[in-house]
Amino acid sequence: MMRRRFAHAWLIACASAAKPTTLQVATYNILNPVHKSAGGGRESDIDELWLARGRRQAAFVADALGAADVICFQEWFFEPRWSQLFEEALPSHRLCTARRRGVHPHDGSERRDGLAIFSRLPLVASEAVVAPVFDDGRSGLVATLQRRGDRPVVVATCHLPFADAAARQAQASACAAAAERQARRDDASLTVLCGDFNGPSDDTVGVAIRDAGFLSAWEQVYGRACVATHVDHRAQRYASDHIWVRGQEKLTPLGAGLLPAGVPD
């Protein structure tokens, strides 16, 4: 059985022209019903199953993460009733999405998975990012968000493929580069890159992200690598979910945590 906790981090950006302000960001791979086995098929084929799980997850997100300024989802389900569950649970947030291109290998239907960002902050611009190589239909999603009385911030999220190191590297680099381009264009004070990287923070992808100037929020707070957030189908345990930050001004991560609390590493 695959199990996942989802990381969230509290960040503070100290702007030179304004008082210090905080930004709370969460990331969560929500497990798309298309990818979940059920009854000899897929959960997405049984409305009552995925709707029931969606209600539970939406209630949990509202309770545990509803105070976050930005919540990034991977494996978002592109189904109107699914979106409605979360939009009703997060009435103070607004939704932007990037749908995965192509067809699903299980049945040849149009892909119904992708990325989503819920934000309390007004959306200035958003962009779906495609890697120039190793393009498997996945997108990164980059959003510029406006803070009141301060410069905007850029938040990007991605879901990297499993086990393919070269594809993971290409897609992570494409998403980070797009986030930095958007940050320069929109004069953002802070860039956040988060999501399901399908690997630890110290592998080749993590090294490349560090080389691009990003810091691991978890490591900045605790001085060590993040504990396990995922047990995959090979029963391997590792920290797959990360929040990386890059500040154009002074940046101090205030805290980072994993939910649900009390789940063993």
Side-chain angles (χ1 to χ4, degrees), residues 121-145:
L121 307 177
L123 177 67
V124 176
S126 65
E127 175 188 355
V129 182
V130 178
V133 293
F134 299 104
D135 179 9
D136 60 358
R138 295 174 190 259
S139 294
L141 176 59
V142 182
T144 300
L145 308 170

Side-chain angles (χ1 to χ4, degrees), residues 1-192:
M1 176 186 296
M2 287 185 283
R3 296 178 295 138
R4 182 178 298 277
R5 299 195 298 183
F6 31 99
H8 62 287
W10 290 266
L11 313 174
I12 182 168
C14 300
S16 59
K19 294 181 179 179
T21 57
T22 60
L23 178 72
Q24 298 183 34
V25 179
T27 181
Y28 181 12
N29 182 322
I30 205 161
L31 182 55
N32 191 298
V34 172
H35 301 313
K36 182 174 173 60
S37 299
R42 298 286 159 176
E43 186 187 57
S44 56
D45 298 327
I46 308 172
D47 283 3
E48 57 267 30
L49 288 184
W50 67 258
L51 281 167
R53 181 165 67 88
R55 291 189 190 98
R56 294 193 300 271
Q57 288 180 299
F60 180 83
V61 167
D63 180 63
L65 302 177
D69 298 299
V70 186
I71 309 170
C72 297
F73 292 99
Q74 302 83 47
E75 294 200 26
W76 184 251
F77 187 30
F78 282 80
E79 213 284 351
R81 289 170 293 173
W82 179 273
S83 297
Q84 183 178 356
L85 291 174
F86 288 85
E87 289 178 295
E88 291 178 351
L90 298 167
S92 298
H93 293 72
R94 294 296 175 263
L95 172 65
C96 65
T97 61
R99 185 169 183 162
R100 188 173 179 179
R101 295 165 292 107
V103 298
H104 201 281
H106 299 302
D107 59 11
S109 63
E110 183 184 10
R111 285 277 190 185
R112 289 191 288 167
D113 58 318
L115 302 166
I117 295 177
F118 277 84
S119 174
R120 288 180 179 273
L121 307 177
L123 177 67
V124 176
S126 65
E127 175 188 355
V129 182
V130 178
V133 293
F134 299 104
D135 179 9
D136 60 358
R138 295 174 190 259
S139 294
L141 176 59
V142 182
T144 300
L145 308 170
Q146 182 63 57
R147 289 183 294 174
R148 179 178 297 177
D150 207 341
R151 292 164 62 195
V153 297
V154 167
V155 177
T157 188
C158 61
H159 182 196
L160 303 186
F162 180 77
D164 188 332
R168 291 177 60 244
Q169 179 79 62
Q171 293 181 16
S173 296
C175 192
E180 281 305 291
R181 285 196 303 272
Q182 196 152 309
R184 290 192 298 272
R185 184 194 70 194
D186 297 333
D187 190 31
S189 63
L190 172 68
T191 306
V192 179

Side-chain angles (χ1 to χ4, degrees), residues 192-254:
V192 179
L193 174 62
C194 67
D196 179 358
F197 291 81
N198 262 313
S201 61
D202 59 356
D203 66 0
T204 56
V205 171
V207 170
I209 293 172
R210 283 189 176 85
D211 288 345
F214 287 85
L215 302 172
S216 162
W218 184 278
E219 292 173 15
Q220 289 297 298
V221 172
Y222 296 107
R224 56 179 172 81
C226 184
V227 298
T229 66
H230 184 45
V231 180
D232 68 18
H233 61 282
R234 299 175 179 174
Q236 295 178 325
R237 309 161 71 88
Y238 55 90
S240 176
D241 308 276
H242 306 287
I243 296 177
W244 299 89
V245 294
R246 175 173 172 168
Q248 282 69 35
E249 296 168 346
K250 185 179 179 182
L251 170 69
T252 305
L254 295 180

